[in-house]
């Protein structure tokens, strides 16, 4: 609900740089001008999507206790997203690739680099799911290539016993859709795991951080 000229002012980047040079200040809050709507009118993207990002470890799985969130323009190409994340996370771009995970689905490698982030937006306009940055090892191998194949469909074989709560905890990872009990209202709320915290050298997470779905 920010109001221009009341809460903020928009100025060109060159003017901002001069003001910082003269008076100091910051940090800069940069926003792009994009074309939106049927008439493709240019407008400032005041609320770009907030993208959840994790990094693949040597095992190919997301690193525990490591997740970041970045504001990225919806009209950024996937190639630009890869370049930005590689720079932000200090990874070589020519040895890195992206994976994406929609809510409740498996990680899928992003093949089409000419697409835009807008194609990944789900439901509310600021939710683009989760991205994972994977980097080749010193032996030029992709860690996730060594993982067993996964399937998004249920097996047609005999039914298996349900996992216990402790067994389920071992499978928690960033991007999972869960229901968690709010410590404020004690209500069960749908949300997305944004961080997995392991302590005492345990293989199972002892704590997860959940970003609740907006109820607005």
């Amino acid at each position: 609900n920010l109001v221009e000229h009341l809460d903020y002012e928009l100025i060109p980047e060159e003017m901002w740089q001069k003001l910082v040079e003269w008076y100091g200040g910051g940090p800069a809050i940069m926003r792009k001008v994009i074309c939106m709507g049927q008439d493709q009118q240019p407008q400032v993207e005041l609320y770009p999507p907030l993208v959840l990002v994790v990094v693949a470890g040597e095992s190919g799985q997301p690193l525990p206790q490591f997740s970041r969130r970045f504001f990225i323009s919806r009209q950024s190409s996937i190639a630009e997203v890869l370049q930005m994340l590689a720079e932000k996370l200090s990874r070589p771009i020519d040895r890195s690739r992206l994976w994406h995970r929609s809510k409740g689905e498996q990680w899928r490698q992003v093949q089409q680099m000419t697409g835009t982030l807008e194609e990944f937006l789900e439901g509310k306009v600021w939710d683009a799911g989760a991205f994972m940055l994977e980097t080749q090892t010193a032996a030029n191998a992709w860690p996730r290539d060594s993982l067993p194949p996964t399937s998004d469909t249920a097996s047609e074989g005999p039914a298996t016993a349900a996992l216990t709560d402790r067994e389920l905890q071992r499978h928690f990872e960033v991007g999972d859709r869960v229901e968690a009990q709010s410590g404020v209202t004690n209500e069960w709320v749908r949300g997305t795991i944004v961080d997995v915290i392991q302590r005492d050298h345990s293989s199972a997470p002892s704590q997860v951080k959940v970003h609740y779905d907006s109820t607005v």
Side-chain angles (χ1 to χ4, degrees):
N1 298 320
L2 297 178
V3 178
E4 188 176 1
H5 306 310
L6 178 63
D7 300 306
Y8 68 93
E9 293 289 346
L10 296 169
I11 59 176
E13 183 177 0
E14 294 80 3
M15 183 181 295
W16 166 261
Q17 292 173 346
K18 281 297 183 183
L19 290 173
V20 172
E21 179 184 337
W22 294 336
Y23 305 109
I29 302 176
M30 303 181 66
R31 292 294 183 264
K32 283 189 174 183
V33 176
I34 61 175
C35 295
M36 297 185 63
Q38 294 182 348
D39 53 359
Q40 289 293 288
Q41 287 294 319
Q43 57 183 283
V44 174
E45 187 181 26
L46 193 58
Y47 300 105
L50 184 59
V51 179
L52 174 64
V53 180
V54 296
V55 171
E58 293 182 358
S59 66
Q61 297 292 355
L63 290 174
Q65 295 180 248
F66 185 98
S67 66
R68 301 289 186 272
R69 286 178 172 267
F70 299 102
F71 286 107
I72 304 177
S73 172
R74 72 189 63 230
Q75 292 189 359
S76 295
S77 70
I78 298 304
E80 291 173 333
V81 173
L82 174 60
Q83 179 177 356
M84 171 192 168
L85 296 182
E87 291 176 354
K88 294 283 189 181
L89 301 174
S90 301
R91 299 295 196 276
I93 185 173
D94 58 333
R95 294 167 57 85
S96 299
R97 64 183 182 181
L98 284 176
W99 295 74
H100 179 260
R101 188 182 190 191
S102 299
K103 292 179 178 178
E105 296 185 2
Q106 301 289 340
W107 289 104
R108 299 179 185 276
Q109 185 183 345
V110 180
Q111 303 281 2
Q112 184 56 264
M113 302 302 291
T114 58
T116 65
L117 183 64
E118 193 163 23
E119 299 171 14
F120 293 86
L121 295 179
E122 309 164 9
K124 297 195 173 182
V125 296
W126 56 79
D127 189 353
F131 282 90
M132 176 164 51
L133 184 67
E134 180 190 19
T135 303
Q136 285 180 312
T137 65
N140 296 324
W142 294 105
R144 290 188 62 80
D145 285 352
S146 62
L147 294 177
T150 58
S151 173
D152 292 331
T153 59
S155 170
E156 296 181 358
T160 57
L163 296 174
T164 65
D165 288 345
R166 188 63 176 176
E167 290 170 331
L168 282 172
Q169 289 177 5
R170 296 181 184 274
H171 294 273
F172 281 152
E173 64 178 53
V174 172
D176 280 347
R177 294 287 293 163
V178 296
E179 285 191 2
Q181 189 174 24
S182 169
V184 178
T185 64
N186 290 326
E187 296 180 351
W188 288 91
V189 184
R190 294 281 292 174
T192 303
I193 293 179
V194 298
D195 203 359
V196 176
I197 301 173
Q198 294 177 341
R199 295 193 176 95
D200 302 326
H201 306 289
S202 172
S203 59
S206 57
Q207 185 178 18
V208 295
K209 291 183 179 180
V210 177
H211 180 228
Y212 295 130
D213 293 346
S214 174
T215 56
V216 177

